[in-house]
């Protein structure tokens, strides 16, 4: 007699299916790509100055705390129950992950968003796709190793980012570039850590603690520094709710993907992020769409993605 799988086990099996995982990774990155222009829109709706770091942190903190509530709703919807919260050392590790992946990463990310155009910032942020593949090789060895195709793909992808950076005219400040690159490294390093924690605790619980603790720390830090959110309106609330959905749904899906797949299989689809960024930044925030350095960078990044994700030769698979 076959053992009846729980809803959580069915979810793990579904997210571990390669074709489904690829499709969901693309959709997840498309959602995250839409976040950049909506964050910039939120700054305008709440009248947050690009130099007002304290209010920027408050804005980010509210978003992630709202997102954590949506994670609980996602658990009820998908698993029919609230997540089992971790205890002891695992809870402490989840809190530490939240301070790293949400507080530290997004403190730099949100500051970078204020200083960069959506198109340029999104292309810079795409480096996380290639860094994920590189770090996976050193962390997982033969289980997720670098191949000549992956190495070539990473090189071409980084060349695309370099073109966007060297050809940057009015896309943002050097400080914004530095902040975005720091945020990218923090995000990439959080991937294997997230994968490790979700193997020892409920994925939804890890996401909830990550977002709530990280978001609360961002908000408290901003409030202590004198930040505040003013100019509340229907549009500003809708913008915050949209951003909360993006992070809540995105974190749930990404945690399930990281738990059930090799990092390089899904991390590389971050190329969708800058493409959506460029398009929505033009549509929502009126940024220039056709700049040769952005279009050239996107083409090279997409070629790099294809090479990195290219199926290995039969001889290589047999080893």
């Amino acid at each position: 007699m076959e053992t009846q799988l729980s809803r959580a086990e069915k979810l793990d099996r579904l997210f571990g299916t390669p074709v489904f995982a690829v499709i969901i990774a693309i959709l997840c990155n498309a959602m995250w790509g839409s976040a950049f222009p909506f964050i910039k829109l939120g700054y305008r709706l709440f009248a947050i100055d690009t130099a007002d770091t304290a209010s920027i942190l408050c804005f980010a903190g509210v978003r992630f705390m709202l997102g954590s509530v949506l994670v609980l709703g996602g658990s009820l919807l998908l698993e029919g129950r609230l997540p089992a919260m971790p205890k002891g050392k695992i809870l402490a590790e989840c809190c530490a992950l939240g301070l790293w992946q949400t507080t530290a990463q997004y403190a730099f990310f949100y500051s970078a968003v204020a200083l960069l155009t959506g198109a340029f910032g999104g292309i810079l942020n795409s480096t996380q796709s290639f860094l994920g593949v590189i770090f996976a090789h050193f962390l997982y060895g033969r289980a997720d190793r670098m191949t000549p195709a992956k190495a070539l793909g990473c090189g071409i992808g980084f060349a695309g980012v370099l073109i966007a950076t060297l050809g940057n005219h009015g896309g943002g400040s050097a400080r914004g570039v530095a902040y975005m690159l720091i945020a990218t490294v923090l995000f990439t390093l959080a991937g294997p850590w997230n994968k490790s924690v979700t193997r020892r605790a409920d994925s939804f619980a890890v996401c909830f603690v990550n977002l709530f603790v990280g978001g609360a720390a961002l908000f408290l830090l901003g409030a202590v520094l004198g930040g505040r959110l003013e100019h509340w309106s229907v549009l500003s609330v809708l913008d915050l709710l949209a951003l909360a959905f993006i992070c809540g749904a995105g974190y749930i899906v990404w945690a399930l993907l990281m738990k059930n797949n090799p990092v390089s299989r899904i991390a590389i689809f971050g190329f969708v992020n800058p493409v959506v960024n460029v398009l929505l930044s033009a549509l929502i925030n009126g940024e220039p769409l056709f700049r040769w350095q952005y279009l050239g960078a996107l083409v090279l990044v997409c070629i790099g993605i294809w090479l990195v994700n290219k199926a290995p030769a039969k001889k290589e698979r047999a080893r």
Side-chain angles (χ1 to χ4, degrees):
M1 182 180 293
E2 292 186 2
T3 304
Q4 185 69 29
L5 296 176
S6 67
R7 291 175 72 170
E9 290 172 328
K10 290 179 180 178
L11 270 180
D12 285 341
R13 176 174 291 185
L14 178 63
F15 275 83
T17 305
V19 173
F20 181 82
V22 167
I23 294 172
I24 295 301
I26 291 172
L27 292 176
C28 185
N29 277 286
M31 275 200 308
W32 280 343
S34 68
F36 208 122
F38 277 111
I39 291 170
K40 293 187 77 70
L41 176 63
Y43 291 166
R44 294 206 309 272
L45 293 174
F46 282 102
I48 299 175
D49 188 85
T50 57
D52 188 359
T53 302
S55 295
I56 287 174
L57 294 179
C58 287
F59 179 71
V62 171
R63 175 205 177 183
F64 292 119
M65 286 190 287
L66 286 173
S68 71
V69 176
L70 293 180
V71 169
L72 296 180
S75 180
L76 283 172
L77 179 65
L78 296 174
E79 295 189 333
R81 60 175 177 81
L82 288 173
M85 289 297 159
K87 299 178 181 179
K89 291 183 178 179
I90 297 181
L91 176 59
E93 189 172 358
C94 289
C95 292
L97 177 62
L99 293 176
W100 176 278
Q101 187 172 16
T102 300
T103 306
Q105 181 207 163
Y106 282 104
F108 285 105
F109 182 86
Y110 269 67
S111 297
V113 170
L115 299 169
L116 303 172
T117 63
F120 182 47
I123 291 171
L124 281 177
N125 192 236
S126 69
T127 55
Q128 68 188 32
S129 303
F130 305 105
L131 288 175
V133 174
I134 294 170
F135 289 170
H137 170 78
F138 292 103
L139 290 171
Y140 302 117
R142 296 182 65 85
D144 208 346
R145 63 196 179 92
M146 181 68 72
T147 64
K150 287 182 180 181
L152 178 60
C154 287
I156 292 176
F158 280 122
V161 175
L162 183 62
I163 286 176
T165 304
L166 295 178
N168 175 37
H169 300 288
S173 67
R175 186 156 56 96
V177 172
Y179 286 168
M180 182 58 73
L181 292 178
I182 292 172
T184 298
V185 172
L186 291 174
F187 174 83
T188 305
L189 291 175
W193 189 1
N194 202 318
K195 185 181 181 76
S196 172
V197 175
T198 52
R199 283 177 169 172
R200 291 175 284 128
D202 187 296
S203 298
F204 290 94
V206 174
C207 289
F208 170 76
V209 174
N210 188 331
L211 291 174
F212 184 80
V213 171
L218 281 168
F219 181 81
L220 289 175
L221 179 60
V224 168
L225 294 174
R228 57 189 181 278
L229 293 182
E230 299 178 326
H231 304 285
W232 289 87
S233 67
V234 174
L235 286 177
S236 63
V237 170
L238 288 175
D239 183 78
L240 257 180
L241 290 176
L243 286 168
F245 175 80
I246 289 169
C247 78
Y251 267 62
I252 290 172
V253 170
W254 199 251
L256 288 169
L257 286 171
M258 294 294 286
K259 176 183 179 182
N260 296 291
N261 295 275
V263 174
S264 62
R265 176 186 293 167
I266 57 173
I268 198 62
F269 286 100
F271 84 91
V272 175
N273 196 314
V275 173
V276 174
N277 247 322
V278 171
L279 295 175
L280 288 184
S281 293
L283 180 65
I284 295 175
N285 297 315
E287 296 180 9
L289 178 59
F290 298 105
R291 282 186 173 174
W292 72 266
Q293 68 268 26
Y294 293 162
L295 296 178
L298 286 175
V299 169
L300 288 178
V301 166
C302 290
I303 291 174
I305 296 303
W306 179 80
L307 286 171
V308 169
N309 203 53
K310 184 180 178 182
K314 291 182 179 180
K315 182 184 291 187
E316 190 173 305
R317 283 200 300 266
R319 290 177 184 175

